[in-house]
Amino acid sequence: MSPDTGKNGSSFQVEVGSIRTPAAGVAELVLVDPAGGALRPWEPGAHLDFHLPNGLVRQYSLTSDPADTGCYRVAVLREPDGRGGSAYVHDELRAGDVLTCTGPRNNFVFHPAAAYRFVAGGIGITPLVPMIESAEQAAVPWTLAYFGRTAASMAWAGELAARFPGRVLVRPDDVFGVPDLAAVLPDPADGELVYACGPHGLLDALAARLGDRARGVLHVERFAPIATEASAAERQAFQVTLDRSGIELEVPADKSILEVMEERGIPVISSCREGTCGTCETAVLAGSVDHRDSILTEDERAATETMMICCSRGIGAGLVIDA
């Protein structure tokens, strides 16, 4: 079975084998097959969609060893101002519970390179750990700069620094202050790629640090949408044609394609509804798109081959999607 890097995979079940706390506010879950079999294969950067018993669907990065099909590992940060997903994981889940998942899916593909620079902010360390393991196994040079609010909040920081001395730089804000990327990240050499995951401020500062070199060098994954209230105010109504069903929809300024399809009773699978998970990614057959997701690269946006129908919109007339 090959990894599901597309839109959706069939659902399957996992059992919570164990739960521990690798850092303050972080729950680490080890997941196994309830029947004791092998789990679905995956590649660094992939995540699972968890269909929680309280009705919520949440995406959590796989942070274990892709070569180990006997278990998955995910780490979930408690979000005090979240919408209930992390609170359920922390407060309700117990060892032995069985969960329904879909995936694995990968919106953060780990590309071959001559060397890697990894940059993590807080819980953004989760998708980078398998990449580090993969680079280490392939004997490809790498370094990690790991930032967080406090040392106590940074999962696996001590383990990584002890295991890879000289290659892991741990910089908690309460000791070192605001991250100084220029001081800790030299310019990437030819053939190096930079992989980063964390809060917007860190990722935006990293892109600014790299400037014109960011395109083609910098790969990021965001846990929250880029879209702002100002961009939402600029929305315009547009029409979209669903090619397979032959239906033409009018999408008003205050609704998404996804919402209009749901209102018309057209089956569509979605999850985050804010352009961060990739579940609703849909092929574009014609027309122009105002991309508002936090997944596609600039080159992918320019190619206009797909769009996230939960947030991205048509420009002008003639948008046709594979639905």
Side-chain angles (χ1 to χ4, degrees), residues 156-177:
W156 315 306
E159 298 170 33
L160 289 168
R163 183 180 170 193
F164 303 112
R167 285 187 284 172
V168 176
L169 189 67
V170 178
R171 286 292 184 270
D173 295 349
D174 61 342
V175 177
F176 296 92

Side-chain angles (χ1 to χ4, degrees), residues 188 192-195 203-220 222 297-299:
E192 280 189 320
L193 292 180
V194 179
Y195 276 82
L203 300 183
D204 292 344
L206 183 57
R209 163 90 176 92
L210 294 173
D212 293 339
R213 295 164 298 168
R215 187 164 186 169
V217 171
L218 177 61
H219 299 266
V220 304
R222 297 176 184 266
T297 65
E298 290 302 317
D299 289 340

Side-chain angles (χ1 to χ4, degrees), residues 25-290:
V26 178
E28 178 188 286
L29 279 63
V30 174
L31 309 167
V32 298
D33 178 75
L39 294 167
R40 294 181 178 182
W42 57 284
E43 296 175 352
H47 68 265
L48 288 177
D49 297 316
F50 285 80
H51 300 257
L52 298 174
N54 63 355
L56 296 175
V57 180
R58 293 292 182 267
Q59 294 74 37
Y60 298 120
S61 296
L62 289 165
T63 189
S64 45
D65 181 356
D68 182 2
T69 59
C71 70
Y72 293 144
R73 182 177 69 172
V74 299
V76 181
L77 174 67
R78 179 188 285 276
E79 298 280 3
D81 299 322
R83 294 174 293 170
S86 67
Y88 186 91
V89 170
H90 279 257
D91 298 337
E92 305 296 334
L93 286 187
R94 300 291 185 269
D97 287 350
V98 175
L99 300 171
T100 298
C101 298
T102 51
R105 292 186 294 109
N106 201 338
N107 302 318
F108 195 31
V109 178
F110 190 47
H111 297 283
Y116 297 100
R117 294 174 185 261
F118 300 109
V119 181
I123 200 63
I125 188 64
T126 53
L128 301 182
V129 169
M131 296 182 181
I132 290 171
E133 295 288 356
S134 180
E136 184 69 10
Q137 292 169 14
V140 177
W142 61 270
T143 61
L144 167 67
Y146 186 4
F147 303 100
R149 291 191 178 93
T150 66
S153 69
M154 300 169 70
W156 315 306
E159 298 170 33
L160 289 168
R163 183 180 170 193
F164 303 112
R167 285 187 284 172
V168 176
L169 189 67
V170 178
R171 286 292 184 270
D173 295 349
D174 61 342
V175 177
F176 296 92
V178 177
D180 184 351
L181 294 177
V184 301
L185 290 175
D187 292 339
D190 290 342
E192 280 189 320
L193 292 180
V194 179
Y195 276 82
C197 185
H200 285 317
L202 176 64
L203 300 183
D204 292 344
L206 183 57
R209 163 90 176 92
L210 294 173
D212 293 339
R213 295 164 298 168
R215 187 164 186 169
V217 171
L218 177 61
H219 299 266
V220 304
E221 181 169 65
R222 297 176 184 266
F223 292 145
I226 299 174
T228 64
E229 291 302 318
S231 66
E234 298 166 0
R235 294 176 179 172
Q236 301 292 322
F238 64 95
Q239 289 186 327
V240 59
T241 299
L242 311 184
D243 183 69
R244 280 184 278 125
S245 54
I247 298 174
E248 187 173 274
L249 301 176
E250 180 75 22
V251 183
D254 62 345
K255 293 182 179 179
S256 66
I257 297 175
L258 174 66
E259 291 170 323
V260 175
M261 290 177 67
E262 289 176 334
E263 289 177 354
R264 291 286 297 271
I266 301 169
V268 57
I269 299 176
S270 68
S271 179
C272 74
R273 307 178 80 90
E274 57 186 14
T276 59
C277 75
T279 303
C280 69
E281 185 173 6
T282 302
V284 176
L285 304 180
S288 300
V289 176
D290 173 14

Side-chain angles (χ1 to χ4, degrees), residues 284-322:
V284 176
L285 304 180
S288 300
V289 176
D290 173 14
H291 292 286
R292 294 169 179 259
D293 65 274
S294 304
I295 298 173
L296 298 177
T297 65
E298 290 302 317
D299 289 340
E300 290 170 334
R301 292 183 174 199
T304 318
E305 294 178 352
T306 66
M307 68 183 295
M308 309 302 159
I309 61 173
C310 68
C311 61
S312 297
R313 308 181 64 77
I315 300 175
L319 179 62
V320 182
I321 62 175
D322 183 21

